[in-house]
Amino acid sequence: VQLVESGGGSVQAGGSLRLSCTASTFGDTTRSMAWFRQAPGKEREGVAATLTGGGITYYTDSVKGRFTISEDNSKNTLYLQMNELKDEDTAMYYCAATMNVSPGCANWGTYDHWGQGTQVTVS
């Protein structure tokens, strides 16, 4: 499985960006997909997650109401719409996937497929 992120960049505080993650096909396998981020000097944290095709989403508290995770299964693409960006959103953002869906999509430790990351800088 290959995951390729795009859409990162530099934006002013209050602005918006949309990240995309294109996956090599999973076929019809149910999976959880998520966005993580890692800021310099900080641990990686889960930001948003979804159970594909299940209508289930999860957001960490700091992005609730500002970020939206969505998917287009016809394109094997996961999105993260980020609005009202803040300085503290600056980080490398990673797309991740797992076919181990039993623990739930917000069980961050289950993710075992990763993209290379895309940088988001808010100033």
Side-chain angles (χ1 to χ4, degrees), residues 78-96:
L78 181 75
Y79 301 101
L80 185 68
Q81 178 66 43
M82 305 185 294
N83 298 327
E84 300 175 36
L85 283 161
K86 304 176 180 180
D87 292 353
E88 52 263 43
D89 295 318
T90 294
M92 184 72 79
Y93 283 71
Y94 298 91
C95 174

Side-chain angles (χ1 to χ4, degrees), residues 29-83:
T29 304
T30 300
R31 59 204 178 271
S32 293
M33 297 195 71
W35 289 97
F36 289 74
R37 67 186 179 187
Q38 187 167 21
K42 295 187 177 180
E43 293 187 355
R44 184 175 61 195
E45 65 168 340
V47 173
T50 184
L51 176 65
T52 60
I56 297 171
T57 58
Y58 175 87
Y59 299 93
T60 196
D61 286 346
S62 61
V63 307
K64 283 180 181 177
R66 300 189 298 121
F67 289 13
T68 303
I69 189 170
S70 63
E71 55 178 336
D72 184 339
N73 285 330
S74 68
K75 298 180 180 179
N76 283 328
T77 301
L78 181 75
Y79 301 101
L80 185 68
Q81 178 66 43
M82 305 185 294
N83 298 327

